[in-house]
Amino acid sequence: MLLLPKAFLILSVTLLLSAALALYSEQAARPAPREAGRVQFNEVAAASGITFRHENGASAEKYMFETFGSGVGVIDFDNDGLPDLFFANGADLAHGKPSPGNALYRNLGNGKFEDVTAKAGVAGNGMFATGVTVGDYDNDGYLDIYVTGYGGNQLFHNHGDGTFREVTAKAGVGASGWSSSAAWVDYDRDGYLDLFVGRYLDYDMRKSPYCGYQKPGYRMYCDPTTFDGTPALLYHNNRDGTFTEVSRKAGVANTAGKSLGVAIGDIDGDGWPDIFVANDGVRNFLYHNKGNGTFDDITYGAGVGFDMDGKALAGMGAEIADLDGDGLPDIFFTAFSGQYNPLYRNLGKLLFEDGTVKAGLPIRVKTLGFGAKVFDFDNDGYPDIYVTNGHVTDNVALYDPQLSYRQTDLLYRNLGGGHFREVSAESGPAFRIQHVGRGLAVADFDNDGDLDIVVSDAGGSPLLLRNDGGNRNHWIALRARGRESNRFGIGAKVRVTSGGRTQLREVNPYGSYLSTSDTRLYFGLGAATLARIEIDWPSGKKQAIDSVRAGQILLLDEADAKR
């Protein structure tokens, strides 16, 4: 038995007591958790009239794009105040069959959706579509749709009469290769949305290698390390319906990139939107906007390129959001099974620390995370985390019986101060559904004040998870109408103060994986019934509104703002 000096024992006890007192003080400062189990998520896709089924083209050849999945876009395409849904679809390329087509569902407002794809003209050109990003690139007041994919991308312009026109060639945003997540971002703040497109691997299905054991049934999808990366693309909006590709000039064309998740946010509060890219098996990229049309890759100095052991993760979906309430946007992204989903806490001055352990999140998970969204599911004023899961290897159980292709999703409730507890098991029957989760978005589809969830399934039917009970707490929702800024106020910062606390969010529906969420911002107010709202527009204008009543969807118009 090892005997320790008395002084060392006294010091150890003192340190333990100090740590305990600090933890007690921190917990005492946080609000007590609400009663568990009040919010339940129920799956209602089929009952709502959504019959879409994803075509992944799964084949014996195991082409990489077959396991990629696709995204979902929330888009109120007809401006009736009801969020509609767009699903990107794959194709059976192994057998030379084009895609069955993307799908657009109109929200009828009674818990039902209607398939309006044919009328709208957005089925696509038969390519293997992957990502969906929604934005009004010409400021005509109607949201347009950009679809990424394997072999090229498509841009659909919204006519405002329920129909779209494919304008890819005219706009000059067709791209090449294999694109993944994309995001609209007014990076130069000229009032028009530009377009950032992440790209994945330099992959040719005609030269697809054999991976896995050489025995029947054991062929598997290859590891991305087998292939070279591809640089991302940045398209500058020429303000005439066309775009110019400026990736190299802007400093975002890293040839090592294997982009899966793309998140946008102003990480240092200087008013210029920055870009985070979650890469698959190579370091992440954090591009800091210099405000002159160019970006600096500050990944190494910022500390967000690797995990806590200095290794590159298989990054999937990404989010930028203030998770601990300190007014500084943090970074969260999902990763591979056997790794962990890291939370990088923003320390200010372009520095981050891996705060996963401090946040109470697991440092080893069996699930394989893809889409991720940060949102306040119970409206208590603290943003929570939802992760959808599904493996990439359909026969993974042959290699590891403890793993499965189909998996259940995860919900982490924010207890305050960026401390989380997993509440999946107590949050409704939706969390018992095993599926192959990929894209993920959130929106208040029934306008009842709480955010619902939509998840795309690789090779299967999507999930529409209705939030039942999240509106027991008070809430307020905001939609932005830009004038000098872009029409939907993308990039605007909103601060809501209620009950002695201030929450900071950005009007930014992008992030997650291959998907776009509602352009409206939702804030949980807990027991508070009044709030003060402040908004900083991308144009530099500001406005503030006092004593705003809870329980409403409020229009913020830049016409009322001042410099």
Side-chain angles (χ1 to χ4, degrees):
M1 181 177 180
L2 180 64
L3 297 178
L4 299 175
K6 182 176 180 181
F8 181 85
L9 291 173
I10 293 173
L11 177 60
S12 299
V13 171
T14 302
L15 289 173
L16 286 171
L17 285 173
S18 299
L21 286 171
L23 179 61
Y24 173 80
S25 299
E26 180 182 26
Q27 292 177 337
R30 286 184 268 155
R34 294 195 311 108
E35 179 186 351
R38 290 182 60 183
V39 178
Q40 300 286 288
F41 286 93
N42 292 285
E43 206 288 305
V44 296
S48 300
I50 297 173
T51 59
F52 173 79
R53 187 172 182 85
H54 178 252
E55 173 60 75
N56 62 355
S59 69
E61 289 76 17
K62 301 288 184 181
Y63 296 120
M64 288 283 286
F65 47 76
E66 296 171 357
T67 194
F68 203 72
S70 66
V72 54
V74 176
I75 173 173
D76 182 5
F77 73 91
D78 51 4
N79 286 345
D80 64 354
L82 296 168
D84 311 301
L85 280 171
F86 179 92
F87 295 97
N89 208 353
D92 186 2
L93 298 186
H95 299 98
K97 296 180 181 179
S99 172
N102 310 312
L104 178 64
Y105 285 88
R106 181 171 180 265
N107 190 338
L108 301 179
N110 56 358
K112 301 291 184 180
F113 287 80
E114 174 190 12
D115 188 337
V116 295
T117 310
K119 177 184 177 183
V122 292
N125 61 3
M127 73 178 190
F128 196 108
T130 55
V132 183
T133 186
V134 173
D136 180 9
Y137 73 89
D138 58 352
N139 287 335
D140 66 352
Y142 291 93
L143 291 166
D144 311 300
I145 304 172
Y146 186 71
V147 182
T148 63
Y150 174 76
N153 303 335
Q154 284 193 286
L155 176 62
F156 296 96
H157 178 255
N158 190 337
H159 285 166
D161 60 358
T163 67
F164 292 75
R165 181 166 58 96
E166 196 265 312
V167 295
T168 314
K170 176 184 176 182
V173 292
S176 62
W178 184 354
S179 297
S180 55
S181 296
W184 296 100
V185 51
D186 184 6
Y187 75 92
D188 55 359
R189 290 170 49 187
D190 66 351
Y192 282 76
L193 292 177
D194 310 297
L195 181 62
F196 182 90
V197 182
R199 292 195 293 176
Y200 191 40
L201 304 176
D202 183 5
Y203 182 82
D204 187 342
M205 64 180 292
R206 297 168 298 182
K207 302 176 182 178
S208 180
Y210 186 103
C211 295
Y213 296 151
Q214 292 279 353
K215 51 193 298 188
Y218 276 78
R219 184 171 184 174
M220 63 190 300
Y221 294 104
C222 294
D223 189 284
T225 57
T226 309
F227 310 95
D228 291 333
T230 310
L233 299 172
L234 180 63
Y235 291 102
H236 179 259
N237 192 329
N238 298 326
R239 306 171 65 165
D240 60 359
T242 69
F243 293 78
T244 299
E245 199 258 295
V246 295
S247 315
R248 288 187 177 277
K249 178 182 177 182
V252 296
N254 191 324
T255 57
K258 298 180 180 180
S259 307
L260 287 180
V262 173
I264 309 294
D266 182 4
I267 60 169
D268 57 348
D270 65 354
W272 297 94
D274 309 300
I275 303 171
F276 176 78
V277 178
N279 284 311
D280 192 1
V282 297
R283 72 168 179 91
N284 305 311
F285 302 148
L286 180 57
Y287 294 118
H288 179 243
N289 193 332
K290 297 166 66 176
N292 62 358
T294 67
F295 294 79
D296 272 339
D297 183 351
I298 63 168
T299 311
Y300 289 109
V304 297
F306 305 94
D307 70 4
M308 61 182 69
D309 296 321
K311 298 178 180 178
L313 293 167
M316 310 293 183
E319 285 280 279
I320 294 179
D322 180 10
L323 285 161
D324 53 9
D326 64 355
L328 298 172
D330 309 300
I331 297 174
F332 176 84
F333 68 94
T334 56
F336 209 78
S337 56
Q339 299 179 343
Y340 68 101
N341 301 325
L343 191 163
Y344 292 115
R345 183 169 175 266
N346 193 334
L347 303 178
K349 299 181 179 180
L350 302 178
L351 295 174
F352 291 77
E353 69 171 2
D354 191 322
T356 310
V357 175
K358 290 181 181 179
L361 297 172
I363 57 171
R364 191 74 61 190
V365 293
K366 289 185 178 180
T367 52
L368 197 164
F370 272 90
K373 284 306 295 181
V374 172
F375 68 105
D376 187 358
F377 78 89
D378 54 1
N379 284 326
D380 64 353
Y382 298 93
D384 313 295
I385 300 173
Y386 186 101
V387 175
T388 188
N389 299 302
H391 214 280
V392 294
T393 304
D394 54 356
N395 55 358
V396 67
L398 295 177
Y399 289 88
D400 187 345
Q402 294 185 337
L403 297 178
S404 63
Y405 182 51
R406 298 183 178 278
Q407 300 177 356
T408 55
D409 291 351
L410 295 169
L411 180 63
Y412 296 100
R413 182 169 182 266
N414 192 334
L415 305 178
H419 298 263
F420 295 85
R421 179 173 69 87
E422 189 198 332
V423 294
S424 315
E426 63 198 57
S427 298
F431 291 92
R432 295 192 290 272
I433 298 173
Q434 293 190 336
H435 66 129
V436 189
R438 292 295 186 261
L440 164 65
V442 298
D444 184 6
F445 292 106
D446 47 9
N447 285 338
D448 67 347
D450 50 33
L451 287 167
D452 312 297
I453 301 166
V454 58
V455 182
S456 67
D457 184 289
S461 302
L463 307 180
L464 181 60
L465 310 184
R466 187 185 64 215
N467 185 331
D468 293 326
N471 54 9
R472 289 192 179 96
N473 275 325
H474 295 294
W475 58 275
I476 192 164
L478 312 168
R479 60 187 183 94
R481 178 182 292 163
R483 302 291 182 174
E484 188 175 329
S485 303
N486 65 85
R487 182 58 60 90
F488 282 79
I490 302 299
K493 297 178 192 173
V494 180
R495 293 174 180 82
V496 170
T497 302
S498 63
R501 293 183 56 251
T502 298
Q503 303 175 56
L504 169 66
R505 308 268 174 83
E506 289 189 26
V507 180
N508 195 328
Y510 314 112
S512 188
Y513 173 74
L514 306 178
S515 300
T516 305
S517 292
D518 198 344
T519 56
R520 301 177 298 184
L521 280 184
Y522 275 69
F523 290 83
L525 304 180
T529 57
L530 295 175
R532 172 181 168 83
I533 299 172
E534 302 168 85
I535 180 169
D536 295 345
W537 293 90
S539 65
K541 290 184 176 181
K542 302 176 184 293
Q543 65 189 105
I545 311 172
D546 285 310
S547 301
V548 180
R549 289 181 292 104
Q552 62 173 313
I553 301 173
L554 183 69
L555 173 64
L556 297 177
D557 197 313
E558 191 178 12
D560 301 322
K562 298 179 180 179
R563 291 196 184 280

